[in-house]
Amino acid sequence: MLNALVTYAAEEGAEAHNPLLPAWYDIIWSSVCFIVILVIFWKVALPRMKKLLDERSAAIEGNIAKADEAQRKAEAALEEYTAQLADARKEAGEIRDAAREDGKKIVAEAKETATAEATRLTTTAHAQIEAERQTALVSLRSEVGTLALDLAGGVIGESLSDDKKAQAVVDRFLAELEESEGAKA
């Protein structure tokens, strides 16, 4: 039986069959399967894939739009911040200038006050010194006068109790003393 099969196979192979081309029934069934798979892919998988790609595209475009909006907001915030910073610097400069002017005014007022106070104290001191000098001069005159009268009375041997005479002698003595001091200066 083996011989019969080999002979039958050899007879069929003698028909000039091309080994690269499949049989007609294989081509038909393969084409039917391919068309079924193509229709399923075209009707089911491709729409889902297209929907997925559209969603991803919309998401990417939305994210790009959000990023652009965020960038615009950031630029606006930066401009606002820069403007506020410039205003703050300007205001700080104005405050600094005003403080300098106030400082100059305070220093000038303090100098004026100190000068006025020094002038007042100097005037008061001069007046007080003059008053003390006058008091000392009056006290000195009376003491010098009393001493001079006592000494004159001791030299003369008489008591100079007459107030008018004594006063005249003392005044003349002091006047001569002041003239001699004025001539020395």
Side-chain angles (χ1 to χ4, degrees):
M1 184 150 152
L2 191 55
N3 262 344
L5 282 174
V6 172
T7 319
Y8 178 69
E11 284 175 11
E12 253 196 60
E15 289 183 9
H17 179 52
N18 188 356
L20 294 177
L21 289 177
W24 284 104
Y25 62 87
D26 284 338
I27 291 175
I28 291 174
W29 283 112
S30 296
S31 297
V32 168
C33 289
F34 178 74
I35 289 174
V36 168
I37 291 173
L38 183 66
V39 167
I40 291 173
F41 180 76
W42 193 272
K43 293 293 182 181
V44 176
L46 194 60
R48 286 184 185 172
M49 193 65 121
K50 185 176 180 186
K51 180 181 174 185
L52 179 66
L53 290 175
D54 289 342
E55 288 174 358
R56 289 188 81 187
S57 175
I60 290 171
E61 288 174 3
N63 288 339
I64 289 172
K66 288 178 185 176
D68 288 341
E69 182 65 27
Q71 185 175 3
R72 281 192 295 274
K73 286 181 180 179
E75 288 173 357
L78 179 62
E79 288 176 8
E80 182 179 343
Y81 171 74
T82 305
Q84 288 176 351
L85 185 61
D87 290 343
R89 284 184 179 161
K90 182 180 176 185
E91 185 176 341
E94 291 172 357
I95 290 171
R96 186 174 46 248
D97 292 341
R100 284 184 187 147
E101 291 298 320
D102 290 344
K104 288 178 184 178
K105 287 178 184 176
I106 290 170
V107 168
E109 289 174 3
K111 284 181 181 179
E112 289 175 11
T113 304
T115 304
E117 185 67 20
T119 304
R120 186 186 63 79
L121 288 175
T122 304
T123 305
T124 304
H126 284 303
Q128 187 176 4
I129 290 171
E130 184 61 30
E132 287 178 6
R133 184 172 107 30
Q134 291 297 328
T135 304
L137 188 62
V138 169
S139 174
L140 185 63
R141 279 189 178 183
S142 67
E143 287 180 21
V144 168
T146 305
L147 283 173
L149 286 176
D150 288 342
L151 286 174
V155 170
I156 300 176
E158 292 183 16
S159 171
L160 296 172
S161 58
D162 187 12
D163 287 335
K164 287 185 181 180
K165 278 185 183 179
Q167 187 67 31
V169 170
V170 169
D171 285 340
R172 190 179 72 225
F173 174 72
L174 289 175
E176 290 174 4
L177 185 64
E178 285 177 2
E179 286 178 11
S180 67
E181 283 181 10
K184 287 180 185 178

